[in-house]
């Protein structure tokens, strides 16, 4: 799954029709591209055609404007929905962090290791202690707190910053603040949250207390796109681990922390590698 | 976890107090028993003392009546709740089966392999096809169907049979029938059901359709004791497996079947090995 | 992954070259087939092009002879290695069973449930007790024992039966007999074995004793194609479960049995759904 | 598993004999201790008695010298091997780090979160870049490099530092240097290494290349005590994750990194919580 130098990635969905695979692959071939990875599936139940295509841009004869134009034309008769991205244009990520930094550390460490196919361009937090973490990793930090209960003002600052820095993806790393419906709507499909339970079980607050009380034998964490309905957005990834009665709530919290980090980072990777296609309220993940 | 010849197993719960471990282990030692396995935990949050003790009966000087009397006396000052069982008295199991037999096969195969520390004494089904499965494995079968909508009459027959055969545990192996509150109440903590989802997610019918629609990345199965509230009883065991968009509902059903078999058999084993203690609406599993 | 009515599945491998995806998909489109599932990957390190294609045969204009001819021509310039199969031609499976039947039961139960995209046409065993299992599931059974140490004679009988019944795949379900190099060579890539450890750890006999002694925390099972070197053939699937010091060797055996069943059935399904491509001593699994 | 204030933990092993549980629990009770957690098992095969006992020290009437004396006397007739530790005496940990810091970050982050029942008192590395990581987390750092090939001199410095700081546990966090047999012998059972494969598969160097070539479907990581034989020491914990042909060696390395971090931190936690008992070349883990 490592990205190779100089590739393009195309994500496509539409009603299934004969000839889609050949139309798309022929477009690439005709223009000198070599397909490196193709993953296509037609769902029997939904009737959806879903495809991810990666090709080598070395030797590809169309420039980006021409490619965009050609794909637009190709898409029209098939009523294709498509997204195209290039490996040399790294997505720019903003992380919103709260006071607990375990997810933030993992994101910044992955950036340092070169394991993200994107760049974390800035971190926004409502806690000044986050500054030190960012400075250690050499990532710009901005403190934005809600003053006098004026949440709209804080959000306006966030919006301005995201726009100024050309951010493509917002990651909520245990941010713990409710964002306004407008903000959520602006970042639909481009804002990832980590929920500390195996959704759809234990929606809402204090899931580990709920889990302890219910005596579940497995706890989980879920990374999902944020939508206006709490913890109901399209799920990108989930994972679980076993627990027992020896685990007090504090242990569940600690085990959950490990899960949260792993699941959030995997979801961010999947998004940045353009492996996630949103369809209605679910995702298709080309893994 | 293999049972050794001639052992006794004691399950204990009560409010935590100093001296409980020594009181219990001394009782065993003083009477000539050798402890083979001890598992004790005091929960900080609930203040509960929980213990499972297994000892070698060879050399134990009290007979069963005397043991019962002595334990009753020992329990009184500590307000202990206790259950004692002996390895030479195999619990007797009745399986209630519906038309789909995958869980039933696993139970009967485990019996044949000698992997259950109990005996499946009979199978009850409302489908005549189940007879053939039982006859292959040499297990008594009774067909009990609801005639003219008279569920009470069918249940009365079941009750009579369970009593007659001295059944200790009822296993609902995809039985798919709702039992009356009275029946459920009679078998509280002694009747295990397999639910085809990761509870508490997807309570109720058609969980795989719900899972597909919600786009979860992991599906599960949950074995629990049956209580009057649907799918809300104490959870004994759970397990999960990964799924993707390539899995249609039929695939989820098939993958779920594999999970159901594994989780139900594990839960039955745990119960038969007296590893499960019910406390309120959750279980403590000594694994 | 459920098979839909009337499909063709093509598995392809070769040195990677530009134009392969379009050549293959165009061949299908041009002849009226609708691609339902495409999975292609070019390996950076090995330089291999690997692809699996499934298309709807309804409306496909070439008959099978013409398809074969056309694909042969198409393959020539690209030096493609390819296998084509049709969903209406179910692969025929022979199971070789030993005395322990847990894997055999799972295979036959899956057959009964309609969960295999192939047919178990016969079971061969060197133990007469296997007859009863086969008769229960309505599958032809043949007892072939080694008489007077004449293994070659027994194998000759097996070969004759496999040929007579037009068998495509041999599954060794805890068969426990060493097959001759010639037999192995005849069924290269078409004979699956289940090994009761996580290969390449614990090659050879008594892996659970080895695991107990080494104090591993996880045990496994591995399904692989049989080659002349013991337990060294291409791995199709593997799985693991956790163990502790409370597990005696007997417990490892029991837990391992559960793993063996699951892994073997998954490997057989993957093979029958033509998801497995052998390349050198490893497999590529399109899952 | 969270440690409560003011507890003592006793680990015991010996040949199994009647009366051990009562002797140990009575010793605690008689002196005013309340047992919070007891975990005992007698192995049928090895004949070993294994136990972990945790008790509340509030109200315990013996001081530590008297406790030590009393336990020594108690141990004599039973030929007990025992280790006693107190929650108010945190074990002191030294981390040996190489150039790759992912495991080091996890250890230091866990320390910061208060998730370790011990203190990381210092980090030693042969790479100067490690200094910055340690300074960020406020942990003393010492650079020790091998000069003019004089490994003995470097090791002498390490030994002096470990002694000076009263270190109890050495953690090799991707240290990548071979330590001398004498050093290994000095820290037997007190030095943990992380190996990047599922031992005993893929001993030695480049396990991910070996895994890719062998086509395994699951990769793993193993934390073990260091012994003189490479990668052969007692295993403390292991974990695995699934891989496919889409994973190039670089992907295996990245997935392996995640595993290494999780497994190493879990092993260190288990050791610090005195849950690990070494018996011959294996461990017993009271989890």
């Amino acid at each position: 799954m490592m990205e190779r130098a100089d590739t393009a990635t195309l994500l496509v969905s539409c009603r299934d029709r004969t000839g889609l695979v050949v139309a798309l692959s022929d477009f690439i071939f005709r223009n000198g591209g070599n397909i490196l990875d193709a993953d296509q599936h037609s769902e029997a139940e939904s009737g959806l055609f879903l495809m991810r295509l990666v090709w080598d841009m070395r030797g590809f004869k169309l420039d980006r404007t021409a490619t965009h134009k050609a794909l637009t034309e190709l898409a029209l008769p098939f009523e294709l929905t498509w997204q195209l991205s290039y490996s040399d244009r790294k997505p720019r990520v903003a992380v919103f962090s709260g006071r607990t930094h375990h997810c933030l550390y993992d994101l910044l460490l992955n950036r340092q290791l070169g394991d993200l196919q994107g760049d974390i361009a800035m971190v926004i937090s409502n806690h000044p202690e986050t500054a030190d973490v960012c400075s250690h990793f050499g990532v710009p930090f901005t403190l934005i707190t809600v003053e006098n209960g004026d949440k709209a003002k804080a959000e306006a600052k966030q919006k301005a910053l995201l726009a100024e820095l050309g951010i493509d993806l917002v990651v909520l790393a245990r941010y713990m603040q409710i964002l306004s419906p407008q903000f959520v709507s602006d970042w639909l499909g481009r804002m990832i949250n980590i929920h500390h339970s195996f959704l759809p079980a234990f929606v809402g607050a204090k899931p580990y207390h709920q889990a302890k009380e219910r005596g579940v034998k497995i706890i989980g964490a879920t990374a999902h796109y944020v939508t206006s309905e709490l913890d109901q957005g399209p799920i990108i990834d989930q994972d679980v681990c076993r627990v027992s009665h020896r685990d007090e709530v504090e242990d569940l919290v600690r085990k959950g922390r490990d899960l949260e980090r792993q699941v959030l980072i995997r979801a961010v990777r999947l998004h940045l590698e353009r492996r996630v296609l949103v369809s209605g309220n679910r995702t298709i993940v080309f893994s």
Side-chain angles (χ1 to χ4, degrees), chain A residues 132-152:
Chain A
D132 186 42
V133 184
C134 296
S135 127
H136 172 65
F137 286 99
V139 171
F141 168 74
T142 306
L143 177 71
I144 300 183
T145 53
V146 174
E147 282 164 42
N148 308 317
D150 193 348
K151 284 195 115 176

Side-chain angles (χ1 to χ4, degrees), chain A residues 263-274:
Chain A
V263 173
L264 181 59
I265 202 81
R266 286 209 310 249
V268 170
R269 277 181 191 149
L270 290 168
H271 180 97
L272 293 177
E273 295 171 9
R274 285 85 173 195

Side-chain angles (χ1 to χ4, degrees), chain A residues 226-287:
Chain A
V226 180
T227 58
S228 52
E229 225 177 322
L230 183 68
D231 302 335
Q232 296 293 323
I235 293 168
I236 306 169
D237 203 8
Q238 314 190 273
D239 214 339
V240 296
C241 76
R242 294 213 157 253
V243 296
S244 84
H245 64 284
R246 281 199 155 92
D247 293 297
E248 305 279 349
V249 168
E250 288 87 341
D251 299 298
L252 301 187
V253 169
R254 180 176 50 71
K255 289 190 170 183
R257 260 202 297 258
D258 286 347
L259 281 177
E260 290 159 24
R261 294 158 61 183
Q262 296 163 34
V263 173
L264 181 59
I265 202 81
R266 286 209 310 249
V268 170
R269 277 181 191 149
L270 290 168
H271 180 97
L272 293 177
E273 295 171 9
R274 285 85 173 195
R275 297 183 177 280
V276 189
L277 210 160
V278 177
S279 171
N281 198 41
R282 65 184 176 111
T283 67
I284 283 85
V285 177
F286 299 97
S287 59

Side-chain angles (χ1 to χ4, degrees), chain A residues 160-177:
Chain A
L161 257 176
L162 296 172
E164 186 190 326
L165 290 173
I167 296 302
D168 301 292
L169 175 71
V170 172
V171 177
L172 305 183
R174 308 292 293 128
Y175 180 54
M176 312 302 280
Q177 304 295 315

